[in-house]
């Protein structure tokens, strides 16, 4: 008994399963949000009271009323670029990748980030603007190259 519709269905499933396995950076349909407004993003940072737990060197932030909160520094000089995707993921899923240097004050007993989940209160526009603001706070620095005496 010949069943071409079954083989067609299996072929479609096989093709769809390989799409999910492709390297996202190599895919033409890679997810990207529109450009944001860094000034509006700083306002979101203030509105959401991110400064209660985060500090940004060089940015004048109010003193937190939560004096016992741990300060996680954002921005500054880094050796590796904080990509757009890194920043979006850190905001919407802060437990995705936790630094090994995080103290127990930053991580709950179940190994999750203690960062407040803003997914139900922050709009997409606010997220886009906040990421635009945070991107402006990181400065990539070249590693120091040792100077060697010339060879003759």
């Amino acid at each position: 008994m010949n069943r071409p519709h079954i083989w067609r269905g299996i072929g479609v499933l096989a093709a769809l399963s390989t799409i999910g396995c492709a390297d996202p950076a190599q895919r033409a349909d890679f997810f990207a949000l529109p450009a944001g407004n860094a000034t509006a993003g700083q306002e979101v940072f203030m509105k959401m009271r991110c400064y209660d737990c985060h500090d940004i060197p060089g940015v004048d932030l109010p003193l937190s009323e939560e004096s016992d909160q741990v300060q996680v520094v954002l921005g500054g000089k880094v050796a590796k670029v904080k990509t757009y995707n890194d920043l979006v993921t850190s905001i919407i899923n802060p437990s995705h990748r936790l630094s090994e240097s995080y103290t127990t004050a930053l991580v709950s007993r179940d190994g999750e980030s203690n960062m407040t989940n803003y997914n139900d209160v922050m709009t997409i526009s606010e997220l886009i603007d906040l990421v635009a603001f945070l991107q402006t706070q990181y400065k990539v620095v070249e590693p120091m190259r040792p100077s060697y005496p010339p060879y003759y």
Side-chain angles (χ1 to χ4, degrees):
M1 184 183 244
N2 189 4
R3 296 184 178 167
H5 62 282
I6 292 175
W7 290 110
R8 222 175 301 132
I10 291 172
V12 169
L13 286 175
L16 289 174
S17 68
T18 60
I19 291 171
C21 297
D23 177 9
Q26 302 299 317
R27 292 177 38 196
D29 63 341
F30 190 70
F31 178 78
L33 296 171
N37 178 310
T39 303
Q42 185 169 2
E43 293 170 12
V44 172
F45 190 89
M46 299 300 193
K47 173 185 169 186
M48 298 293 171
R49 298 186 56 94
C50 300
Y51 58 84
D52 279 341
C53 298
H54 293 287
D55 187 31
I56 301 176
V59 177
D60 188 28
L61 299 171
L63 290 176
S64 172
E65 297 167 8
E66 309 288 332
S67 61
D68 62 336
Q69 291 285 8
V70 177
Q71 290 292 313
V72 176
V73 177
L74 302 176
K77 295 179 180 179
V78 294
K80 182 181 176 237
V81 173
K82 293 286 186 190
T83 67
Y84 184 85
N85 296 331
D86 291 337
L87 293 171
V88 170
T89 301
S90 295
I91 294 167
I92 65 173
N93 185 8
S95 295
H96 172 69
R97 187 178 313 145
L98 299 173
S99 171
E100 292 176 10
S101 66
Y102 280 2
T103 64
T104 54
L106 296 173
V107 181
S108 68
R109 290 179 194 229
D110 61 356
E112 297 290 312
S113 170
N114 281 335
M115 183 172 148
T116 302
N117 183 332
Y118 292 98
N119 295 349
D120 293 332
V121 294
M122 184 182 296
T123 69
I124 294 172
S125 294
E126 288 172 330
L127 173 65
I128 292 167
D129 292 339
L130 179 58
V131 169
F133 167 64
L134 293 174
Q135 283 183 307
T136 65
Q137 302 308 309
Y138 288 93
K139 307 293 180 233
V140 177
V141 294
E142 291 289 324
M144 297 275 302
R145 299 187 190 280
S147 61
Y148 297 104
Y151 290 101
Y152 296 102

